[in-house]
Every structure is written in structure tokens, then in C-alpha cells.
Amino acid sequence: METEERDRLLLAPYAMHAANSAGREHAEPPHPYRSPYQRDRDRVVHSAAFRRLAHKTQVFTGSLGDYHRTRLTHTFEVASVARTVARAIALNEDLVETLALLHDLGHPPFGHAGEEVLDRRLADEGGFNHNQQAVRIATLLERRYPEFPGLNLSAEVLDSQRRRSSKAIGPPSPLLEAQVVDAADSIAYDAHDADDALVLGVLTTDELSDAALWHEATESARRRFANLSGDELRRAAVHALLDRQVDDLIASSAQSLRDAPPASPEEVRHLPRLIGHSDEMTEQKRQLESLLFERVYRHPRVLAHRDEAMSALESLYHETLRRGDLPSPYDGVARAESPRRAAADYVASVTDRFALDPAGADRAAWAGGPA
Ligand code: MG
């Protein structure tokens, strides 16, 4: 079935239909059997920057063991939640999946600690922001095609990613597909950061039960499976934590869409955000997030790694700037923009382990950039 017909049958009028796409910066003939957004998804998955997410910190660094999420597995969990929600409310799943897989592509090593270092170094040159960095990778830094720099993604994909860094609440609103990915990001990290923190022992289930959302998830797991305890109870509670958030997001967003209801993606832009949680869930998530912030992200074991990571990244940045012998395409960035921007682009592209040991024996295999 042609993409256009498929979209018309399966998607709501407020969804982004591929046939209405504004296209790509460099025009390309349509693919015989993949929709434009499927093609975008595949381009993200095949990029070097995407593969390097496997060795980049989400919250906990690699030296804390191998159970917890990396930036890559976080990304897959976001895509999984986002596709579920998109299908339930008849949005474009291919576009949602692309946006989810792209959303953290610009993260430097060591998560927000790494971002802070680069942002400070570029303070008088517009700063460093991981959302904008994903756009730079997708339009300039990734080199996979002889015809153009970047991945030549569809306009809606790039526009949605650009808007991620804007904190504006009111209209113009992002596409509903982009709104779903924002919500799915938060659903995924609230659930997996709680899970990782429990497994790593930086938090106990008793402490986590101060948050009503975790407490209720545990109670519902207990009702469903009598006599669960320990790891079995934790796993069932994490599933319930995800389910409760996803159920709430779908129900609450479906209601807003029925109340509005927007007749097209163009109308969506002029309305306040329609994808969101109920007031009760919003409050419960806020409570869980502040608990995670205080007791997990500020935990001495996490902070100790943070300091080590930040100084490793500082040194790599200064060393890169001092040497000034960056490979393509960073040498071009140094000439066209500035040596500092080029150094930040390069440093942001490398993995945690490269940043910790840039002189290591496998330097060639580890190095950043679009190999
Ligand atoms: Mg994320």
C-alpha cells in the first residue's frame, strides 16, 4: 500500500501525514517502499553518532556496573513508549520513532555534566546545548552520503528537534508527534532512573515510597501478584510505574484532542500543547522527580563520578584546542565558525571511555567524528 493511502486510513487528521511533508533541504527521489520518515529513522540508526550512544552516560557511568541504562538503551525505551502512545491516538508512528531516536543524539559524554563543561567553554559563542547539537550532527557533522553533509532529514524532523531546546510553553506548539516524544522521554527516565537507583543501591524501596507514584505502583503490583518481594516486586513495580504513566498520558491526551479537536497539524501549532498528563499525574511525577533529584542525582557516589568526568572532559577540550589538528569535518568548522566550536563538536562526539583515556591503545577505533 502506498504511504499516502496508508496514512489516510490509519492516521488522525491532526497527525503529520508524510504526503504533506515540506521535504528535504537536498531534494531526493521518493524511496520505492519506505515512507520519508521511515527513511529518516534508518538514517539516524545508521549514523556513527547513534552507535556512540551505547558508550555514553545516561545518569550512571559505566564504572558503576553494567545493569543500568546507557544513553542508547534510554533512547530505545523512549522510542518504545512513544510508539505505543502514537499508535493509541493515531499519530504518525514512523515520525515519532525518528524523533525519539534522534532526541539525545547530541549528548556529549557524561550526560548533563559533560554538557555543562562545553556550555561554559562556549559561553560567549552561543553556548552548547545537546538539543541543538543533535541538529548540527544531522545537518552538518555526520558524513554518510557523498551528495550532502549531514543526514538530509525531513523538514518536520529537524524543526521538531530545533524546538526541543525552546522552553516556550504557549503557541506555536510543536507537532503532536514531537509532544509525544517529550512526554515519553520523561515517562522513560522516571521509571528507569528509579529502577537503576534501586539496583545500584543508591536508594531503598522504602525511601522511594515517599513518592506517591512509586508507592501506588508497588501497591498495584502487590494486588496483582500476591507474596512478591525483593527484586521480583521491584520489577513488577517498575512495569506498573510505566503502565500508569502511559495509561494516564493516553487518556488525558485523547480527552484534550476530543475537546479541541484540531483538524490538521497546522491547527495544532496554534493551540496550547495537547499531549500531556492529568493534573494528578503531573503532580505525582513532579514529586518523584524531586525525590530522584535530591537522593539520586545528588548522591555522593554519583557526584564523585561527575567531578571525575567533568575534569576529564575539560582536559580533552583544552588538549583538542591546543593541538588544533582536528580531522574533517571539524577542521572545516574551525575555519567557518571558530576553533572553540570545532573543539566542542569533536569532544561532544566522543564516548565516555574515549574521554577518560584519549591516549589509549585503541585510539583510532575510539575516536569521535563521522568515521
Ligand atoms: Mg532523553
Side-chain angles (χ1 to χ4, degrees):
M1 199 189 301
E2 294 289 322
T3 299
E4 190 169 350
E5 190 188 349
R6 216 184 130 80
D7 282 0
R8 199 159 28 76
L9 286 172
L10 295 176
L11 305 187
Y14 46 70
M16 184 67 216
H17 293 225
N20 300 326
S21 171
R24 306 173 189 278
E25 187 186 349
H26 305 274
E28 293 183 62
H31 191 274
Y33 47 83
R34 285 182 301 167
S35 79
Y37 302 134
Q38 274 184 288
R39 216 169 174 187
D40 292 333
R41 175 201 59 202
D42 297 344
R43 288 181 179 189
V44 173
V45 168
H46 289 272
S47 67
F50 187 76
R51 286 193 296 283
R52 289 202 178 94
L53 296 178
H55 305 289
K56 288 189 173 189
T57 292
Q58 175 65 24
V59 170
F60 305 102
T61 54
S63 55
L64 286 166
D66 59 7
Y67 173 82
H68 61 264
R69 276 69 175 178
T70 64
R71 194 58 67 177
L72 182 68
T73 61
H74 159 72
T75 295
F76 283 127
E77 291 188 29
V78 174
S80 160
V81 168
R83 278 194 75 111
T84 299
V85 175
R87 188 176 300 190
I89 54 178
L91 294 177
N92 192 318
E93 281 182 66
D94 293 334
L95 176 55
V96 157
E97 187 177 13
T98 304
L99 294 175
L101 297 178
L102 178 69
H103 90 282
D104 271 352
L105 201 68
H107 252 293
F110 311 118
H112 292 285
E115 182 167 32
E116 227 177 282
V117 169
L118 296 177
D119 190 41
R120 238 186 274 145
R121 292 296 143 235
L122 291 174
D124 51 4
E125 286 188 24
F128 180 96
N129 171 285
H130 72 275
N131 290 314
Q132 286 307 330
Q133 192 64 15
V135 176
R136 281 178 71 75
I137 292 168
T139 55
L140 175 70
L141 300 174
E142 190 73 38
R143 298 290 160 102
R144 311 230 65 83
Y145 304 93
E147 312 95 298
F148 43 75
L151 304 172
N152 201 31
L153 303 177
S154 301
E156 295 71 34
V157 173
L158 292 173
D159 181 60
S160 299
Q161 182 64 28
R162 279 193 187 102
R163 284 159 182 274
R164 277 184 69 81
S165 41
S166 141
K167 291 279 168 268
I169 308 268
S173 292
L175 290 172
L176 294 169
E177 282 82 357
Q179 298 183 33
V180 164
V181 172
D182 283 348
D185 190 20
S186 157
I187 289 175
Y189 63 63
D190 280 355
H192 67 50
D193 288 354
D195 185 49
D196 287 349
L198 290 172
V199 170
L200 286 168
V202 300
L203 199 63
T204 66
T205 43
D206 272 358
E207 289 173 313
L208 197 49
S209 292
D210 288 350
L213 187 53
W214 175 261
H215 178 73
E216 288 176 16
T218 308
E219 289 308 304
S220 82
R222 279 210 178 92
R223 279 194 301 276
R224 200 166 153 209
F225 309 99
N227 306 321
L228 279 192
S229 63
D231 288 340
E232 285 187 327
L233 179 60
R234 168 182 51 82
R235 291 183 202 114
V238 171
H239 292 154
L241 189 60
L242 274 172
D243 282 346
R244 295 174 84 80
Q245 295 181 84
V246 171
D247 289 351
D248 178 86
L249 182 70
I250 291 172
S252 169
S253 305
Q255 186 62 52
S256 305
L257 288 165
R258 276 194 298 274
D259 291 347
S264 68
E266 190 44 39
E267 271 190 42
V268 167
R269 291 171 53 80
H270 302 291
L271 296 167
R273 283 180 177 245
L274 297 172
I275 305 297
H277 288 287
S278 63
D279 290 346
E280 191 195 349
M281 181 59 73
T282 302
E283 174 50 27
Q284 288 198 349
K285 281 174 65 66
R286 195 202 53 73
Q287 188 193 22
L288 174 62
E289 284 165 13
S290 74
L291 188 152
L292 290 172
F293 183 83
E294 290 302 328
R295 300 194 214 169
V296 177
Y297 312 143
R298 297 268 159 251
H299 191 279
R301 274 172 68 196
V302 174
L303 287 182
H305 286 284
R306 183 185 153 88
D307 292 343
E308 183 195 4
M310 288 176 91
S311 68
L313 219 57
E314 284 277 4
S315 325
L316 181 62
Y317 172 83
H318 288 295
E319 178 62 11
T320 303
L321 199 57
R322 190 190 63 76
R323 289 169 56 116
D325 59 347
L326 283 170
S328 169
Y330 306 105
D331 53 351
V333 172
R335 285 191 298 273
E337 297 177 61
S338 78
R340 288 198 287 158
R341 178 62 65 186
D345 282 341
Y346 175 75
V347 169
S349 81
V350 309
T351 58
D352 290 6
R353 56 187 187 177
F354 180 87
L356 288 173
D357 184 17
D362 290 334
R363 181 177 175 115
W366 286 7

